[in-house]
Structure formats: C-alpha cells, structure tokens
Amino acid sequence: MRVVVDGPSNLGLRAPKAGVVPGCYKLAGAVRDRGFLGRIGAEDGGCVTPPRYDMHDWKPGDGVFNAAAMASYTVQLADRVAGFVGQGKFVVLLGGECSNLLGPALALKRLGRYGVVYLDGHSDFRTVDNSPYVGAAGGEALALVTGRGQADLTDLGGLGPYTRDSDAVLLGIRADDEYVGDVEKAGIPVWPASKIADDPNAAAQGTLAHLAELDGFWVHLDVDILDAAIMPAVDSPDPGGVDREQLRALLQPLLASPKCVGVDIGIFDPDLDPDGTYATELTDTLVAALS
C-alpha cells in the first residue's frame, strides 16, 4: 500500500532574494491538485507541518541556518515515516527541499541498515572542509545524512551517521559539479546525468546491485536532475540534465524494487510555474514512474 505524506519544508533553502521565502513548500499542493493520490492509488498520510522559515539574523560562519527548526522537524518527519514503513507501507513524501531527506534517513536508521539513492543535479556535498562556510542544508543534504556536519543535525538521537558512505549512491550530477571529487573519495558510486542519458536502466540496475545486501533503501529525488530546458521551475536550474523519459526509466525499476521503502520529491517551485505547465508534467512523470 502506498501512502502520501506532505513535508512542505523550505528550511534548507537560501532565500531567492532578501525577504522572500522559497516557494518549494508549495510542491505538495501543486502535485496533489493534479489528482496524484488517486492516480497512484495511495492513501493520505497527512502533513508534517514545518516550523517557520526565519534566517534574518544568520550570517556566514554561523553554521546551517534554520538548524534548530530543521532538527525538530526532522524528528517529527522521522516519526511519521517510521510509523508507515513499520506498517509495510511505501511512503511518497512530497516536499519541500533536499533537507527533507534527513527525516526518512533518521527513521530508517532506527529500523535497520538502509541505503539512500540520491537523484540530484548537484552532489549536495558541501561541508566546512571543502567550502568557506555552510548555510543552506539543501546544498549539504547528502553530506549531512552521511554524517558530515554539525551534530545537532547529523547525530539526532545519537544515531548518526544515518547512512553509511558505502550505502549511498549519487545519480544525475552535472559534469562540472564542484564536490564530486569528495563524493568519489568517500567511495560513493556516481552516475552523472550524461551517463544516465545513455542508458537509464543500466544506472538503475547498477544501483540496485550495489545496495542488494541492505535491509532496504530510500530514493531522494531533486527535480533539478531534469535539464533546465525541461524543468526551469527549480532553485538552481542547470543544463546537461536528463529528460522526462530518461528520469521515468531510471526511477521505475528503483521504485518497483521490493527493497525500496519510499521516495521524497523536492525543489520544484510552483512560484516559478505561473501557468502550471511544469507541475502537470512533473506529476505525470511521477505517476508513470510509480506505475
């Protein structure tokens, strides 16, 4: 049985400009409005409401902004996800942004040894060791779930790291990703977007083989894995991404695996999609991938 949970957090994203709140918290509503639950035959798992987005007094060097709010939200999200996974339900978490992954990662660490399949146009592996400072957790989410970063986010309940380096896979980054060297040094397998475009199923099967011995895995989908010409309504659109059919072909075997316990979707920003075209196309792609 599938269950859809809304996780409309924008706590880990930089403001598009001073005084403006990122609009990705509207993703869930935009997708639901296109009949998503009925189309995938899912029950409604409710909404985990995030704390207020507030970074007015943050400055570089202060660590991750909204960290305290994000930590409390992560625990709430983990409680919800763990409950459904424990009931044998497949969770579809509608974000939100990439720091939402902390909730499922924490939930699954409570339950056993689970992997993370990280589908993203960026490696999100920024740390204080490879950057002058950290700030937006959305650009640090893969680093955080693998234990790199401040303990108030990476070691909640004394359970960090939530995902071992050996149990993570990164798919969809662009050729010029600035942190890919650190990802590879950690031993995390990487399939760049160009390689996925050549053979999405090979990337999916390679990922499944890498994670085969685990209790299961979670899929994280940042929709900026799509090429900017196809999906411009995101925080950081970049050329060189996959197209919708390639994304469907990559996702379908991953989500159909009996080892997969859920997926979160993030970064789509309805504020950048005034006529709803991209919301419709995204919803159609997700429905096809879950078919």
Side-chain angles (χ1 to χ4, degrees):
M1 180 64 187
R2 294 166 176 164
V3 58
V4 174
V5 178
D6 291 3
S9 171
N10 55 11
L11 294 169
L13 271 193
R14 62 189 178 186
K17 58 183 179 180
V20 176
V21 173
C24 64
Y25 70 93
K26 302 177 184 179
L27 181 158
V31 171
R32 280 176 173 263
D33 198 41
R34 282 151 180 84
F36 181 64
L37 271 72
R39 293 168 69 184
I40 67 168
E43 68 177 73
D44 192 339
C47 176
V48 183
T49 304
R52 183 184 300 276
Y53 180 95
D54 180 10
M55 55 173 294
H56 73 277
D57 58 352
W58 178 88
K59 61 184 182 301
D62 286 349
V64 173
F65 56 72
N66 288 319
M70 196 178 301
S72 65
Y73 184 66
T74 293
V75 173
Q76 295 176 54
L77 203 54
D79 291 345
R80 186 75 59 94
V81 170
F84 286 130
V85 172
Q87 296 169 27
K89 296 177 180 178
F90 183 94
V91 181
V92 181
L93 175 62
L94 299 176
E97 41 78 25
C98 296
S99 74
N100 265 11
L101 177 61
L102 287 164
L106 174 60
L108 296 176
K109 182 61 182 287
R110 297 173 181 170
L111 300 176
R113 183 176 173 185
Y114 287 80
V116 164
V117 183
Y118 204 88
L119 278 66
D120 201 305
H122 310 89
S123 61
D124 292 349
F125 215 67
R126 182 175 60 238
T127 71
V128 293
D129 295 321
N130 60 24
S131 182
Y133 58 86
V134 296
E140 299 147 14
L142 182 56
L144 291 169
V145 298
T146 54
R148 295 167 172 85
Q150 56 201 65
D152 58 349
L153 293 174
T154 63
D155 196 30
L156 291 165
L159 291 175
Y162 313 131
T163 306
R164 303 184 192 186
D165 291 345
S166 59
D167 300 345
V169 180
L170 174 61
L171 302 103
I173 61 168
R174 309 307 198 253
D176 60 350
D177 189 275
E178 61 184 312
Y179 305 123
V180 65
D182 292 323
V183 177
E184 292 172 337
K185 185 177 179 180
I188 298 173
V190 178
W191 273 269
S194 57
K195 191 174 180 181
I196 293 169
D198 290 338
D199 193 339
N201 187 62
Q205 296 305 323
T207 297
L208 291 171
H210 182 75
L211 303 175
E213 301 305 315
L214 305 184
D215 294 326
F217 64 86
W218 181 274
V219 174
H220 163 77
L221 172 61
D222 178 337
V223 301
D224 71 17
I225 192 176
L226 291 163
D227 191 88
I230 295 167
M231 174 52 78
V234 295
D235 178 63
S236 299
D238 284 315
V242 300
D243 63 26
R244 287 188 295 275
E245 177 56 26
Q246 290 160 352
L247 178 58
R248 182 207 60 77
L250 175 64
L251 278 172
Q252 203 161 34
L254 294 174
L255 301 182
S257 168
K259 292 274 192 174
C260 185
V261 297
V263 57
D264 69 279
I265 301 104
I267 295 298
F268 170 65
D269 187 343
D271 287 345
L272 304 177
D273 180 29
D275 67 359
T277 295
Y278 302 118
T280 297
E281 292 174 348
L282 173 61
T283 306
D284 289 347
T285 300
L286 295 173
V287 170
L290 285 159
S291 65

